[in-house]
């Protein structure tokens, strides 16, 4: 297809948009090639199975694509957030929301707190194995009773000899069935505010074995460790296991406390910026893919003796979609440039997350409409893109919370 803006199609050999350089474009080509060969052919099967095979995590561990920004001392590739941005974009455009979430969550949201706040012993134990794809980690903050209002969590960790005993439930946990450890927010005081939250790394009991590594029932069952996890049915993100996780009198040793006791709120806040920026990057790339697919479709499809692309209304729709994408990219790339330059970007990240997640829903809907009935069918993949996109304005902080953050930054 002909693209409407520089950089819309990275594969077309255009000059990369800063902060991406030729080196990043080489990485992009390698990741895109892997996704085309080893992921895309299986997307529908993994969506239908509601599961990404565990072997894919190990393969990714060998390739190192989810370890790009981690220091080499911890088993990472020693790159930076621009390298990681390439991964976020390529998995965002080339697979499905569920696959991107399943493969990305262990390293994008569950492991950064261990790098930032963990002791060397904790890093040794919980970073390398996740980067190598030998272990899967999940971040467990949300509960059935509270999500946006983090201070309202009810999961409690009572002090006992040598550690803590944890009781409570966590909901909507990405990778919750498969995870071998949960980076878990718990209440450690009766303080009603942000002050009484701590983080514990809660490990599952002995793994049921390689023969059960793709058996959600066996993985989710209580292994005598007081932990059970059950998958939740949802609108989109089918390939990602999203679980309700229960902790019943789970003993957690003292040295599994991450960061300071009662200092967990800081840890939650530290995680948000990159999570939200990588969601924005993934959305920009996913929007580009929808535009490309839709443009190709309307150039072929005929109605009333003409190509659908020849109707002025179609051209206007595509022009508006391209403009939305360009504006989303401009804000997101500018945010990334500032972030890698070490400039605080809470405002920009919040705006980029808010703008791109809604924009992706709109672009998928308009793209589906231009496909007519074919868009409603599974074969084109655009109905899945629309269902997957709907998570964006909710996950990682809702649109309303983004607007609230911005309003407060405006002194309102
Ligand atoms: C597929 C999926 C995967 C997820 N993965 C994870 C994960 O791995 N780990 C994890 O911990 N969590 C995860 N989440 C949870 C996610 O972060 C929360 O769903 C999200 O933060 C919103 O919380 P909530 O669902 O409790 O909604 P609520 O907080 O109950 O919000 C309900 C509605 O009220 C609005 N609202 C709330 N507060 C305000 C306010 N102050 N002003 C205006 N409106 C407000 C919200 O915007 C929303 O519209 C996942 C969620 C989904 C759907």
């Amino acid at each position: 297809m002909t693209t409407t803006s520089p950089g819309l199609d990275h594969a077309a050999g255009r000059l990369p948009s800063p902060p991406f350089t030729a080196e990043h474009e080489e990485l992009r080509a390698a990741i895109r090639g892997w996704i085309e060969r080893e992921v895309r052919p299986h997307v529908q099967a993994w969506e239908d199975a509601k599961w990404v095979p565990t072997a894919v995590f190990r393969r990714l561990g060998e390739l190192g694509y989810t370890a790009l920004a981690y220091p080499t001392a911890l088993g990472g590739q020693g790159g930076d957030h621009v390298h990681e941005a390439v991964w976020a974009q390529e998995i965002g455009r080339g697979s499905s929301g569920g696959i991107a979430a399943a493969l990305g969550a262990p390293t994008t949201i569950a492991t950064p707190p261990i790098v930032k706040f963990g002791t060397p012993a904790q890093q040794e134990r919980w970073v390398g194995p996740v980067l190598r794809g030998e272990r899967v980690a999940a971040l467990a903050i949300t509960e059935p009773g509270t999500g946006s209002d983090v201070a309202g969590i009810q999961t409690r960790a009572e002090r006992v000899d040598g550690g803590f005993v944890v009781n409570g439930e966590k909901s909507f946990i990405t990778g919750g069935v498969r995870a071998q450890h949960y980076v878990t927010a718990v209440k450690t005081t009766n303080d009603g505010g942000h002050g009484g939250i701590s983080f514990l790394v809660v490990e599952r009991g002995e793994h049921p074995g390689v023969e059960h590594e793709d058996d959600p029932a066996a993985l989710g069952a209580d292994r005598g460790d007081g932990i059970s996890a059950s998958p939740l049915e949802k609108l989109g993100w089918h390939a990602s296991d999203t679980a309700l996780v229960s902790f019943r009198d789970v003993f957690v040793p003292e040295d599994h406390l991450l960061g300071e006791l009662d200092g967990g709120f800081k840890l939650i806040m530290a995680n948000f910026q990159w999570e939200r920026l990588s969601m924005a990057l993934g959305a920009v790339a996913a929007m580009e893919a929808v535009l490309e697919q839709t443009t190709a479709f309307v150039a072929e499809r005929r109605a009333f003796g003409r190509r659908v692309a020849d109707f002025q209304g179609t051209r206007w729709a595509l022009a508006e979609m391209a403009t939305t994408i360009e504006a989303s990219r401009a804000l997101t790339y500018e945010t990334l440039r500032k972030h890698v330059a070490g400039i605080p970007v809470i405002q920009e990240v919040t705006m980029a997350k808010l703008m791109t997640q809604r924009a992706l829903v709109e672009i998928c809907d308009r793209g589906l409409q231009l496909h007519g009935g074919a868009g409603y069918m599974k074969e084109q993949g655009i109905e899945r893109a629309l269902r997957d996109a709907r998570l964006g304005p909710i996950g990682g902080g809702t649109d309303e919370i983004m607007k609230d953050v911005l309003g407060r930054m405006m002194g309102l």
Side-chain angles (χ1 to χ4, degrees):
M1 68 162 261
T2 43
T3 53
T4 47
S5 132
L8 264 185
D9 184 2
H10 292 286
R14 294 170 185 279
L15 282 179
S17 302
F20 299 102
T21 64
E23 180 220 329
H24 299 109
E25 297 314 302
E26 269 177 41
L27 174 67
R28 184 186 304 286
I31 296 176
R32 192 174 288 192
W34 175 70
I35 291 171
E36 285 299 324
R37 287 188 308 276
E38 298 186 35
V39 177
R40 208 195 269 276
H42 308 288
V43 168
Q44 195 58 54
W46 297 346
E47 285 286 316
D48 291 344
K50 299 187 172 157
W51 193 255
V52 179
T54 302
V56 181
F57 288 77
R58 283 196 294 271
R59 173 77 177 126
L60 197 49
E62 284 165 21
L63 294 165
Y65 293 155
T66 47
L68 293 167
Y70 282 84
T72 48
L74 296 178
Q77 302 289 317
D80 60 22
H81 277 317
V82 186
H83 297 99
E84 200 175 346
V86 174
W87 162 258
Q89 290 185 306
E90 291 307 311
I91 198 69
R93 68 167 276 144
S95 64
S96 70
I99 294 170
L103 295 177
T107 46
T108 308
I109 59 174
T111 307
I114 297 176
V115 174
K116 193 156 179 156
F117 297 94
T119 62
Q122 290 174 332
Q123 292 170 348
E124 171 87 25
R125 183 165 179 169
W126 292 308
V127 177
V130 173
L131 301 187
R132 291 192 295 275
E134 294 159 8
R135 276 180 90 91
V136 171
L139 180 70
I141 300 173
T142 307
E143 300 186 355
T146 195
S148 309
D149 181 12
V150 179
I153 62 167
Q154 299 288 321
T155 298
R156 287 204 64 84
E158 300 291 347
R159 275 276 194 189
V160 293
D161 223 15
F164 303 86
V165 170
V166 176
N167 278 288
E169 273 189 330
K170 295 288 176 183
S171 60
F172 313 152
I173 304 308
T174 301
V177 169
R178 191 191 324 247
Q180 277 127 294
H181 63 256
Y182 305 99
V183 176
T184 311
V186 293
K187 271 286 198 193
T188 32
T189 69
N190 291 323
D191 179 335
H194 295 140
I197 297 172
S198 303
F199 267 82
L200 295 176
V201 181
V202 182
E203 287 192 312
R204 292 238 51 192
E206 201 172 320
H207 194 275
V210 73
E211 68 276 20
H212 294 297
E213 70 178 16
D214 290 318
D215 175 355
L219 291 171
D222 189 330
R223 306 170 192 170
D225 53 6
I227 304 173
S228 58
S230 47
L232 299 166
E233 292 292 323
K234 51 198 185 298
L235 175 71
W237 276 30
H238 285 177
S240 172
D241 96 70
T242 306
L244 178 69
V245 182
S246 300
F247 303 112
R248 295 278 170 268
D249 293 328
V250 181
F251 175 73
V252 179
E254 178 100 51
D255 60 2
H256 289 212
L257 172 70
L258 199 54
E260 287 166 28
L261 188 68
D262 303 333
F265 192 67
K266 199 167 59 184
L267 192 144
I268 295 174
M269 290 298 114
N271 225 26
F272 273 145
Q273 297 316 312
W274 180 251
E275 178 186 5
R276 291 174 182 165
L277 183 47
S278 77
M279 285 177 78
L281 287 156
V284 169
M287 285 191 268
E288 288 174 3
V290 171
L291 179 65
E292 287 167 22
Q293 178 180 332
T294 305
T295 309
F297 183 88
V298 296
E300 289 287 319
R301 181 75 182 171
R302 298 188 73 81
F304 298 95
R306 296 193 262 174
R307 301 179 318 158
V308 171
D310 293 331
F311 298 115
Q312 189 181 40
T314 304
R315 288 203 299 273
W316 285 9
L318 290 168
E320 284 173 3
M321 288 163 73
T323 305
T324 298
I325 296 170
E326 190 58 42
S328 297
R329 185 190 4 264
L331 174 58
T332 303
Y333 282 20
E334 175 65 0
T335 306
L336 178 62
R337 282 191 287 272
K338 286 185 180 167
H339 182 64
V340 293
I343 299 168
V345 281
I346 294 179
Q347 176 183 306
E348 292 87 337
V349 166
T350 309
M351 287 177 170
K353 202 273 183 185
L354 176 64
M355 180 180 185
T356 56
Q357 305 308 300
R358 269 287 158 197
L360 178 58
V361 176
E362 186 197 322
I363 295 286
C364 289
D365 189 46
R366 298 188 81 173
L368 189 152
Q369 186 68 20
L370 286 168
H371 280 72
Y376 202 72
M377 300 297 129
K378 270 192 173 181
E379 195 188 340
Q380 293 288 339
I382 202 157
E383 58 80 37
R384 187 191 62 236
L386 177 59
R387 288 186 288 103
D388 290 347
R390 195 58 189 82
L391 185 274
I394 299 169
T398 65
D399 278 4
E400 291 73 23
I401 295 299
M402 295 306 101
K403 288 184 251 190
D404 217 46
V405 170
L406 291 168
R408 273 185 277 115
M409 292 185 89
M410 292 163 72
L412 302 170

